[in-house]
Amino acid sequence: MKRQFTVASLASCLALGLATSAHAQETLDVVTDPSFVPFEMMDQETGQMVGFDMDIVAEVAERAGFEYNLRTMDFNGIIPAVQTGNVDIAIAGITITDERAEIVDFSDPYYDSGLRLLVNADDDSIQSIEDLEGKSVGTKIGSTSYDYLQENLGDDADITPYPGSSDMYMALLGGSVDAVFYDAPNVGYFSQTQGEGRAKVVGPLYEGQQYGIVLVKGSDWVEPVNEALASMKEDGTYDEIHSKWFGSASGE
Amino acid sequence: MDVTFQFDWQAAFASIPHLLTGIPYTLLISFAGLAIGFLIGILFGLLRISPSRWLRVPAVAYIEVFRGTPVLVQVLFIFYGLPQLLGGPINALVAGIAAIAVNSGAYISEIVRGGVQSIERGQREAGLSLGLSRRQTFRYIIWPQALRRMIPSLGNQGIISIKDTSLFSVIGVGELVRQGQVYIATTFNALEVYLMVAMLYLVITLSLSAALRLLERKGLVGQ
């Protein structure tokens, strides 16, 4: 019912040749991951989700002209949920890949990232991916880091995919795995906050990657979202948000 | 690797306000799902004991399929699989309610069948010999007695279904377990928060048990 209305209203907007202003008042379902610091995390004071992605999506919604309901979902369920159209938009530090782009649409990239290795603070035996042979490593289900480990280590290491970031980090601190291999900003943030003194980042940055906002294949919102991102980068708003969460503007 | 855990009561209590936001979803999915499941159960339970094979076979098939597959698989199928068949999206809350409905419906069908079949033949004969029609006999004599016998099993099923909703965190419903996971993702107090989550489930299920006991004692139907 809702879908039919949406399609009809979008069709009429397009027919009239109206730009994004016609989308105003539409409420979209936005989904994110419950734990991907500092991109999305729960503020303990308010119980609201906060983070770099949350500021980005709020600003994008404002500029593209939509309202949204936010929900959280384990990472491995997010792309399938957009694929089925059960949710309209996902923002969760999602790396743009060819495989994913076949089933969903990506916005232009909004963050440059990569993958990094995290080990226990007192562990000097692991300096790079190669050192993981014969050891156990934790990562997240459905993530690019999991794919990378499978391709580069395969059966040489014991790879355990976890549903959430916290599960994976708790496994490392609890000694269930020897290392965690995951997105650089998240690993870096954890090692400086809850993991400080207990875990450390080692080795180089693997696989330069870019994050994009995920939309339903063929969504009419791709264009407005890209325009919003471009204007945010142009007028300095993007750098402001970047500084707030990463301590420096994106260009530095 | 030396890991020492200290139970942090403050962290446990601090999580409660956040966890409470999940309770409405847990209750809504449980009770809406069970209400629909009860209707499904009555329908298929009676079809299951129908003399006509055409009515009996589909009922048996439904019961076996939904009783024989995990509710987690059912909800994943409904939420991620069904939209590809229907060509349209499904709301997570609706998927959760539907999963509880079809799953509890299968179990309740068997509870209904057992309840009705447990009433002695003599009751039916007595009704008919009083000049009641077959329908009246069922409605006024068999069904009330059967329903009373079903209460313990229905209560059991209710508690099972309430706990089953905890699986729906996987489709992004903000229920009790999901709220717990989100909270732990920020605080890493797994021990304390999961204990509180368990306690809150107990509060819900114990309340249901108490309500059912009251219902049984008051007597849904006079002796």
Side-chain angles (χ1 to χ4, degrees), chain B residues 121-139:
Chain B
R121 284 193 71 89
Q123 293 288 324
R124 184 162 172 269
E125 285 158 10
L128 294 175
S129 61
L130 282 173
L132 297 175
S133 69
R134 275 176 25 195
R135 176 171 298 204
Q136 287 172 318
T137 303
F138 183 80
R139 193 173 148 187

Side-chain angles (χ1 to χ4, degrees), chain A residues 6 29-30 32 56 59 61 85 141 184 201 211 231:
Chain A
T6 315
D29 276 320
V30 175
T32 188
I56 294 281
E59 188 66 31
I141 303 174
V201 179
Y211 295 162
S231 73

Side-chain angles (χ1 to χ4, degrees), chain A residues 230-246:
Chain A
S231 73
M232 284 161 63
K233 283 184 177 166
E234 214 156 292
D235 68 13
T237 315
Y238 177 87
D239 281 349
E240 259 174 58
I241 298 174
H242 196 280
S243 301
K244 176 179 164 187
W245 294 103
F246 301 105

